[in-house]
Amino acid sequence: MVDPVVSVEGTAYPWGAKNVDTDVIIPAHWLKTISREGMGKGAFETVRAQPGNLFDDPRYAGSPILIAGENFGCGSSREHAAWALGDLGVKVVIAPSFSDIFSGNAVKNGIVPVVLPQEAVDRLVEVARDNPVTVDLETMTVTTPYQDRFAFTLDPFRRMCLMQGLDEIGLTLAQDTAISNFESGMARSRPWIERRSGHAGIAVGSSGRT
């Protein structure tokens, strides 16, 4: 399960960088772990190695929103990129376009991928340097204190998953009753299937033949 995301308001990293690949988001040597915890320490490691970088600037540290350029999340399919962003505290990434795989991984990890035209992204980068930004999934808008209002679209199923905090495990658990009813019905209507599966191992173990 992931935390539900309905509305996110706060400071935003006014980055705007284009073609940010997953190796920039989280370098390969961080991929040895299977835990999401602590991945934020490696997020944008090469960028943060530079003096005066945006991600270690006290004005933006811990921002829940990241504003980036086109083709964000390109490169490998590593889900660790979404893990790293989430552990860094990012709940929303705004960009003109995303890698399809990254976009899917982001939603599975409770991160909203907001697609806006380049002109809107440029405006948000400018405003976010000194002002908060609000992303609302109920109204499907990005707004600023200067009355900027940018509408975006999101696949209805992905929007539902984000707002209800459902990842793939959560979606499966939500169908627990239906799955149990189906299995019970199968056991009653086709009992021979369960009997065969139950005795298959004995047959092989006794004679060595199937």
Side-chain angles (χ1 to χ4, degrees):
M1 299 289 285
V2 294
D3 293 332
V5 182
V6 177
S7 180
V8 178
E9 179 180 5
T11 56
Y13 295 105
W15 199 21
K18 299 179 179 180
N19 300 311
V20 176
D21 63 31
T22 51
D23 197 51
V24 171
I25 299 172
I26 186 70
H29 63 265
W30 283 86
L31 307 188
K32 299 175 183 179
T33 179
I34 58 173
S35 173
R36 306 181 190 192
E37 296 182 6
M39 293 292 288
K41 295 178 181 178
F44 305 109
E45 185 177 67
T46 56
V47 178
R48 295 164 82 175
Q50 304 169 13
N53 73 85
L54 182 71
F55 295 98
D56 291 325
D57 188 324
R59 293 177 297 171
Y60 309 114
S63 293
I65 302 170
L66 171 63
I67 305 171
E70 63 185 3
N71 200 27
F72 186 86
C74 57
S76 73
S77 60
R78 66 188 69 165
E79 189 175 2
H80 297 69
W83 293 2
L85 287 173
D87 197 57
L88 188 65
V90 173
K91 287 291 185 181
V92 178
V93 181
I94 302 172
S97 61
F98 293 89
S99 156
D100 288 341
I101 295 177
F102 171 82
S103 182
N105 286 338
V107 172
K108 292 176 185 177
N109 287 277
I111 299 172
V112 186
V114 174
V115 176
L116 290 177
Q118 185 65 56
E119 295 78 8
V121 170
D122 291 341
R123 170 61 178 167
L124 289 172
V125 167
E126 177 185 352
V127 173
R129 291 192 179 103
D130 301 296
N131 298 274
V133 173
T134 300
V135 178
D136 194 310
L137 284 181
E138 289 188 337
T139 60
M140 297 294 284
T141 58
V142 179
T143 56
T144 76
Y146 292 103
Q147 305 306 311
D148 297 295
R149 187 181 181 87
F150 304 111
F152 64 93
T153 60
L154 192 64
D155 175 82
F157 177 72
R158 288 185 169 184
R159 178 172 178 253
M160 180 272 293
C161 289
L162 287 164
M163 295 182 72
Q164 295 185 20
L166 296 174
D167 56 11
E168 291 175 327
I169 295 175
L171 285 167
T172 302
L173 292 175
Q175 299 299 318
D176 179 62
T177 301
I179 293 171
S180 296
N181 290 340
F182 174 80
E183 290 179 340
S184 297
M186 286 291 289
R188 289 193 301 271
S189 63
R190 301 180 182 182
W192 61 87
I193 295 179
E194 187 170 332
R195 286 201 299 270
R196 284 183 178 178
S197 63
H199 291 293
I202 296 175
V204 173
S206 301
S207 65
R209 299 188 299 273
T210 57

